[in-house]
Coordinates of all heavy atoms in Angstrom, one line a residue:
Chain A
A2 N 79.6 -117.5 -62.4 CA 80.0 -118.8 -62.4 C 79.0 -119.7 -63.1 O 77.7 -119.7 -62.7 CB 80.3 -119.3 -61.0
Q3 N 79.3 -120.5 -64.1 CA 78.4 -121.2 -64.8 C 79.0 -122.4 -65.6 O 80.1 -122.3 -66.0 CB 77.5 -120.4 -65.7 CG 78.3 -119.6 -66.8 CD 77.3 -118.7 -67.6 OE1 76.1 -118.8 -67.5 NE2 78.0 -117.8 -68.4
V4 N 78.1 -123.3 -65.9 CA 78.4 -124.4 -66.9 C 77.5 -124.1 -68.1 O 76.3 -124.0 -67.9 CB 78.1 -125.8 -66.3 CG1 78.4 -126.8 -67.3 CG2 79.0 -126.0 -65.0
T5 N 78.1 -124.1 -69.2 CA 77.3 -123.8 -70.4 C 77.4 -125.0 -71.4 O 78.4 -125.7 -71.4 CB 77.8 -122.6 -71.2 OG1 79.2 -122.8 -71.6 CG2 77.6 -121.3 -70.4
Q6 N 76.3 -125.3 -72.0 CA 76.2 -126.3 -73.0 C 75.5 -125.9 -74.3 O 74.7 -125.0 -74.2 CB 75.2 -127.5 -72.4 CG 75.6 -128.2 -71.2 CD 74.6 -129.3 -70.8 OE1 74.3 -129.3 -69.6 NE2 74.2 -130.1 -71.6
N7 N 76.1 -126.4 -75.4 CA 75.5 -126.1 -76.7 C 75.5 -127.3 -77.6 O 76.5 -128.1 -77.6 CB 76.3 -125.0 -77.3 CG 76.0 -123.6 -76.7 OD1 74.9 -123.2 -77.0 ND2 76.9 -123.1 -75.9
P8 N 74.5 -127.5 -78.4 CA 73.3 -126.7 -78.4 C 72.4 -127.1 -77.3 O 72.6 -128.1 -76.5 CB 72.7 -127.1 -79.8 CG 73.1 -128.5 -79.9 CD 74.5 -128.6 -79.4
R9 N 71.3 -126.3 -77.0 CA 70.3 -126.7 -76.0 C 69.3 -127.7 -76.5 O 68.8 -128.5 -75.8 CB 69.6 -125.4 -75.6 CG 70.5 -124.4 -74.8 CD 70.8 -124.9 -73.4 NE 69.7 -125.4 -72.7 CZ 68.8 -124.6 -72.1 NH1 69.0 -123.4 -72.0 NH2 67.7 -125.2 -71.4
Y10 N 69.1 -127.6 -77.8 CA 68.1 -128.5 -78.5 C 68.7 -129.0 -79.7 O 69.3 -128.2 -80.5 CB 66.7 -127.9 -78.7 CG 66.1 -127.3 -77.5 CD1 66.4 -126.0 -77.1 CD2 65.2 -128.1 -76.7 CE1 65.8 -125.5 -76.0 CE2 64.6 -127.6 -75.6 CZ 64.8 -126.2 -75.3 OH 64.3 -125.8 -74.1
L11 N 68.6 -130.3 -80.1 CA 69.2 -130.8 -81.3 C 68.2 -132.0 -81.8 O 68.0 -132.9 -81.0 CB 70.6 -131.3 -81.0 CG 71.3 -131.9 -82.3 CD1 71.4 -130.9 -83.4 CD2 72.7 -132.4 -81.9
I12 N 67.8 -131.9 -83.0 CA 67.2 -133.1 -83.7 C 68.0 -133.5 -84.8 O 68.5 -132.7 -85.6 CB 65.8 -132.6 -84.2 CG1 64.9 -132.1 -83.1 CG2 65.1 -133.8 -84.9 CD1 63.6 -131.5 -83.6
T13 N 68.4 -134.8 -84.8 CA 69.3 -135.3 -85.8 C 68.7 -136.6 -86.3 O 67.8 -137.2 -85.8 CB 70.7 -135.4 -85.3 OG1 71.6 -135.7 -86.4 CG2 70.8 -136.5 -84.3
V14 N 69.4 -137.2 -87.3 CA 69.1 -138.5 -87.8 C 70.1 -139.6 -87.4 O 71.2 -139.3 -87.0 CB 69.0 -138.5 -89.3 CG1 67.9 -137.5 -89.8 CG2 70.3 -138.0 -90.0
T15 N 69.6 -140.8 -87.5 CA 70.5 -141.9 -87.1 C 71.8 -141.9 -87.9 O 71.7 -141.8 -89.1 CB 69.7 -143.3 -87.3 OG1 68.5 -143.3 -86.5 CG2 70.7 -144.5 -86.9
G16 N 72.9 -142.1 -87.2 CA 74.2 -142.2 -87.8 C 75.0 -140.9 -88.1 O 76.1 -141.0 -88.5
K17 N 74.3 -139.8 -87.9 CA 75.1 -138.6 -88.2 C 75.8 -138.0 -87.0 O 75.2 -137.6 -86.0 CB 74.0 -137.4 -88.7 CG 74.7 -136.3 -89.1 CD 73.6 -135.2 -89.6 CE 74.3 -133.9 -90.2 NZ 73.3 -133.0 -90.6
K18 N 77.1 -138.0 -87.1 CA 77.9 -137.7 -85.9 C 77.6 -136.4 -85.4 O 77.4 -135.4 -86.1 CB 79.4 -137.7 -86.4 CG 80.4 -137.4 -85.3 CD 81.8 -137.5 -85.7 CE 82.8 -137.1 -84.7 NZ 84.2 -137.1 -85.1
L19 N 77.6 -136.2 -84.1 CA 77.4 -135.0 -83.4 C 78.3 -134.7 -82.2 O 78.7 -135.7 -81.6 CB 75.8 -134.7 -83.2 CG 75.3 -135.7 -82.1 CD1 75.4 -135.0 -80.7 CD2 73.8 -136.0 -82.4
T20 N 78.4 -133.5 -81.9 CA 79.1 -133.1 -80.7 C 78.3 -132.1 -79.8 O 77.8 -131.2 -80.4 CB 80.5 -132.5 -81.0 OG1 81.3 -133.4 -81.7 CG2 81.2 -132.1 -79.7
V21 N 78.2 -132.4 -78.6 CA 77.6 -131.4 -77.7 C 78.7 -130.9 -76.7 O 79.5 -131.6 -76.2 CB 76.6 -132.1 -76.7 CG1 76.0 -131.1 -75.8 CG2 75.5 -132.9 -77.5
T22 N 78.9 -129.5 -76.8 CA 80.0 -128.9 -76.1 C 79.5 -128.6 -74.6 O 78.4 -128.4 -74.3 CB 80.4 -127.7 -76.8 OG1 79.3 -126.7 -76.7 CG2 80.8 -128.0 -78.2
C23 N 80.5 -128.6 -73.8 CA 80.3 -128.2 -72.4 C 81.6 -127.4 -71.9 O 82.7 -127.8 -72.2 CB 80.2 -129.5 -71.5 SG 80.2 -129.1 -69.7
S24 N 81.3 -126.3 -71.3 CA 82.3 -125.4 -70.8 C 82.0 -124.9 -69.5 O 80.8 -124.5 -69.2 CB 82.5 -124.3 -71.8 OG 83.6 -123.5 -71.4
Q25 N 83.0 -124.8 -68.6 CA 82.8 -124.2 -67.2 C 83.9 -123.2 -67.0 O 85.0 -123.3 -67.5 CB 82.8 -125.3 -66.2 CG 83.9 -126.2 -66.2 CD 85.1 -125.9 -65.3 OE1 85.1 -124.9 -64.6 NE2 86.2 -126.7 -65.4
N26 N 83.5 -122.1 -66.3 CA 84.4 -121.0 -66.0 C 84.8 -121.0 -64.6 O 85.1 -119.8 -64.0 CB 83.7 -119.7 -66.5 CG 82.5 -119.3 -65.7 OD1 82.0 -120.1 -64.8 ND2 81.8 -118.3 -66.1
M27 N 84.8 -122.0 -63.8 CA 85.0 -122.0 -62.4 C 86.4 -122.7 -62.1 O 86.7 -122.9 -60.9 CB 83.9 -122.7 -61.7 CG 82.6 -121.9 -61.8 SD 81.2 -122.9 -61.3 CE 80.9 -123.9 -62.7
N28 N 87.1 -123.1 -63.1 CA 88.5 -123.8 -62.9 C 88.3 -125.1 -62.2 O 89.2 -125.5 -61.4 CB 89.4 -122.8 -62.2 CG 90.8 -123.4 -62.4 OD1 91.2 -123.8 -63.5 ND2 91.7 -123.2 -61.4
H29 N 87.2 -125.8 -62.4 CA 87.0 -127.0 -61.7 C 87.7 -128.2 -62.4 O 87.8 -128.2 -63.6 CB 85.5 -127.4 -61.8 CG 84.6 -126.5 -60.9 ND1 83.2 -126.5 -61.0 CD2 84.9 -125.7 -59.9 CE1 82.7 -125.7 -60.0 NE2 83.8 -125.2 -59.4
E30 N 88.2 -129.1 -61.5 CA 88.9 -130.2 -62.0 C 88.1 -131.3 -62.5 O 88.3 -132.0 -63.6 CB 89.8 -130.8 -60.8 CG 91.0 -130.0 -60.4 CD 90.6 -128.8 -59.5 OE1 89.4 -128.8 -58.9 OE2 91.4 -127.9 -59.2
Y31 N 86.9 -131.6 -61.9 CA 86.0 -132.7 -62.1 C 84.9 -132.2 -63.1 O 84.3 -131.2 -62.9 CB 85.4 -133.2 -60.9 CG 84.6 -134.5 -61.0 CD1 85.2 -135.7 -61.0 CD2 83.2 -134.4 -61.2 CE1 84.4 -136.8 -61.1 CE2 82.4 -135.5 -61.3 CZ 83.0 -136.8 -61.3 OH 82.3 -137.9 -61.4
M32 N 84.7 -133.0 -64.2 CA 83.5 -132.8 -65.1 C 82.9 -134.2 -65.4 O 83.6 -135.2 -65.4 CB 84.0 -132.1 -66.3 CG 84.6 -130.7 -66.0 SD 85.0 -129.7 -67.5 CE 83.3 -129.2 -68.1
S33 N 81.6 -134.0 -65.7 CA 80.9 -135.3 -65.9 C 79.7 -135.1 -66.8 O 79.2 -134.0 -66.9 CB 80.4 -135.8 -64.6 OG 79.7 -137.0 -64.7
W34 N 79.3 -136.1 -67.5 CA 78.2 -136.1 -68.4 C 77.2 -137.1 -67.8 O 77.5 -138.2 -67.4 CB 78.5 -136.5 -69.8 CG 79.0 -135.3 -70.7 CD1 80.2 -135.1 -71.0 CD2 78.2 -134.3 -71.2 NE1 80.4 -133.9 -71.8 CE2 79.1 -133.5 -71.9 CE3 76.8 -134.0 -71.2 CZ2 78.7 -132.4 -72.6 CZ3 76.4 -132.9 -71.9 CH2 77.3 -132.1 -72.7
Y35 N 75.9 -136.6 -67.8 CA 74.8 -137.5 -67.3 C 73.7 -137.4 -68.4 O 73.6 -136.5 -69.2 CB 74.1 -137.0 -66.1 CG 75.0 -137.0 -64.9 CD1 75.8 -135.9 -64.6 CD2 75.0 -138.1 -64.0 CE1 76.6 -135.9 -63.4 CE2 75.8 -138.1 -62.8 CZ 76.6 -137.0 -62.6 OH 77.4 -137.0 -61.4
R36 N 73.0 -138.5 -68.5 CA 71.8 -138.5 -69.3 C 70.6 -138.7 -68.3 O 70.6 -139.5 -67.4 CB 71.7 -139.5 -70.4 CG 71.8 -140.9 -70.0 CD 71.8 -141.9 -71.2 NE 70.4 -141.9 -71.8 CZ 70.1 -142.5 -72.9 NH1 71.0 -143.1 -73.7 NH2 68.9 -142.5 -73.4
Q37 N 69.4 -138.0 -68.6 CA 68.2 -138.1 -67.8 C 67.2 -138.7 -68.6 O 66.8 -138.1 -69.7 CB 67.9 -136.7 -67.2 CG 66.7 -136.7 -66.4 CD 66.3 -135.3 -65.9 OE1 66.7 -134.3 -66.4 NE2 65.4 -135.2 -64.9
D38 N 66.6 -139.7 -68.1 CA 65.4 -140.3 -68.8 C 64.3 -140.5 -67.9 O 64.6 -140.8 -66.6 CB 65.8 -141.7 -69.4 CG 66.9 -141.6 -70.4 OD1 66.7 -141.0 -71.5 OD2 68.1 -141.9 -70.1
P39 N 63.1 -140.3 -68.2 CA 61.9 -140.4 -67.2 C 61.9 -141.7 -66.5 O 62.1 -142.8 -67.1 CB 60.7 -140.4 -68.3 CG 61.2 -139.6 -69.4 CD 62.6 -140.0 -69.6
G40 N 61.8 -141.6 -65.2 CA 61.7 -142.7 -64.3 C 63.0 -143.3 -64.0 O 63.1 -144.3 -63.2
L41 N 64.1 -142.8 -64.6 CA 65.4 -143.5 -64.3 C 66.3 -142.5 -63.6 O 67.5 -142.8 -63.4 CB 66.1 -143.9 -65.7 CG 65.3 -145.0 -66.4 CD1 66.0 -145.3 -67.7 CD2 65.2 -146.3 -65.6
G42 N 65.9 -141.3 -63.4 CA 66.8 -140.3 -62.8 C 68.0 -140.0 -63.8 O 67.8 -140.0 -65.0
L43 N 69.1 -139.6 -63.2 CA 70.3 -139.3 -64.0 C 71.3 -140.4 -64.0 O 71.5 -140.9 -62.9 CB 70.9 -138.0 -63.5 CG 70.4 -136.7 -63.9 CD1 69.1 -136.4 -63.1 CD2 71.3 -135.5 -63.8
R44 N 71.9 -140.8 -65.0 CA 72.9 -141.8 -65.1 C 74.1 -141.2 -65.7 O 74.1 -140.5 -66.7 CB 72.4 -143.0 -65.9 CG 71.2 -143.7 -65.3 CD 70.7 -144.8 -66.2 NE 70.1 -144.3 -67.4 CZ 69.8 -145.0 -68.5 NH1 70.0 -146.3 -68.5 NH2 69.2 -144.4 -69.5
Q45 N 75.2 -141.7 -65.1 CA 76.5 -141.1 -65.5 C 77.0 -141.7 -66.7 O 77.1 -143.0 -66.9 CB 77.6 -141.1 -64.4 CG 78.9 -140.4 -64.7 CD 79.8 -140.6 -63.6 OE1 80.2 -141.6 -63.2 NE2 80.3 -139.5 -63.0
I46 N 77.5 -141.0 -67.7 CA 77.9 -141.5 -69.0 C 79.5 -141.6 -69.0 O 80.1 -142.7 -69.1 CB 77.5 -140.6 -70.2 CG1 76.0 -140.4 -70.3 CG2 78.1 -141.1 -71.5 CD1 75.6 -139.4 -71.2
Y47 N 80.2 -140.5 -68.7 CA 81.6 -140.4 -68.6 C 81.9 -139.3 -67.6 O 81.1 -138.4 -67.4 CB 82.3 -140.0 -70.0 CG 82.7 -141.2 -70.8 CD1 81.8 -141.6 -71.8 CD2 83.9 -141.8 -70.7 CE1 82.2 -142.7 -72.6 CE2 84.3 -142.8 -71.5 CZ 83.4 -143.3 -72.5 OH 83.8 -144.3 -73.3
Y48 N 83.1 -139.4 -67.1 CA 83.6 -138.3 -66.3 C 85.1 -138.1 -66.4 O 85.8 -138.9 -67.0 CB 83.3 -138.7 -64.7 CG 84.1 -139.9 -64.2 CD1 85.3 -139.8 -63.5 CD2 83.5 -141.2 -64.4 CE1 86.0 -140.8 -63.0 CE2 84.3 -142.3 -63.9 CZ 85.4 -142.1 -63.2 OH 86.1 -143.3 -62.7
S49 N 85.6 -137.0 -65.9 CA 86.9 -136.6 -66.0 C 87.5 -136.0 -64.8 O 86.8 -135.1 -64.2 CB 87.1 -135.6 -67.2 OG 88.4 -135.1 -67.3
M50 N 88.5 -136.6 -64.3 CA 89.2 -136.0 -63.0 C 90.1 -134.7 -63.3 O 90.2 -133.9 -62.4 CB 90.0 -137.1 -62.4 CG 89.2 -138.3 -61.9 SD 88.2 -137.9 -60.5 CE 88.2 -139.6 -59.7
N51 N 90.5 -134.7 -64.5 CA 91.3 -133.5 -64.9 C 91.7 -133.7 -66.3 O 91.3 -134.6 -67.1 CB 92.6 -133.4 -64.0 CG 93.0 -132.0 -63.7 OD1 92.9 -131.1 -64.5 ND2 93.4 -131.8 -62.5
V52 N 92.5 -132.7 -66.8 CA 92.9 -132.7 -68.3 C 93.6 -134.1 -68.6 O 94.4 -134.6 -67.8 CB 93.9 -131.6 -68.5 CG1 94.4 -131.6 -70.0 CG2 93.2 -130.2 -68.2
E53 N 93.0 -134.6 -69.7 CA 93.6 -135.8 -70.2 C 93.3 -137.1 -69.4 O 93.8 -138.2 -69.6 CB 95.1 -135.8 -70.5 CG 95.6 -134.7 -71.5 CD 95.1 -134.9 -72.9 OE1 94.5 -135.9 -73.2 OE2 95.4 -134.0 -73.7
V54 N 92.4 -136.9 -68.4 CA 92.0 -138.1 -67.5 C 90.5 -138.3 -67.6 O 89.8 -137.4 -67.1 CB 92.4 -137.8 -66.0 CG1 92.1 -139.1 -65.2 CG2 94.0 -137.6 -65.9
T55 N 90.1 -139.3 -68.3 CA 88.6 -139.6 -68.4 C 88.4 -141.1 -68.1 O 89.3 -141.9 -68.3 CB 88.2 -139.3 -69.9 OG1 88.8 -140.2 -70.8 CG2 88.4 -137.8 -70.2

Side-chain angles (χ1 to χ4, degrees):
Chain A
Q3 59 183 346
V4 178
T5 57
Q6 295 178 228
N7 282 291
R9 293 289 312 278
Y10 302 90
L11 179 59
I12 301 174
T13 190
V14 296
T15 299
K17 186 177 181 181
K18 181 180 179 180
L19 66 91
T20 299
V21 183
T22 64
C23 172
S24 183
Q25 50 94 4
N26 62 1
M27 295 169 280
N28 201 37
H29 288 166
E30 290 79 16
Y31 185 88
M32 296 186 76
S33 181
W34 277 102
Y35 296 90
R36 60 178 287 173
Q37 182 182 14
D38 301 290
L41 296 178
L43 279 78
R44 294 176 292 167
Q45 190 182 51
I46 303 170
Y47 269 94
Y48 66 95
S49 171
M50 295 290 208
N51 214 323
V52 175
E53 302 292 0
V54 181
T55 64

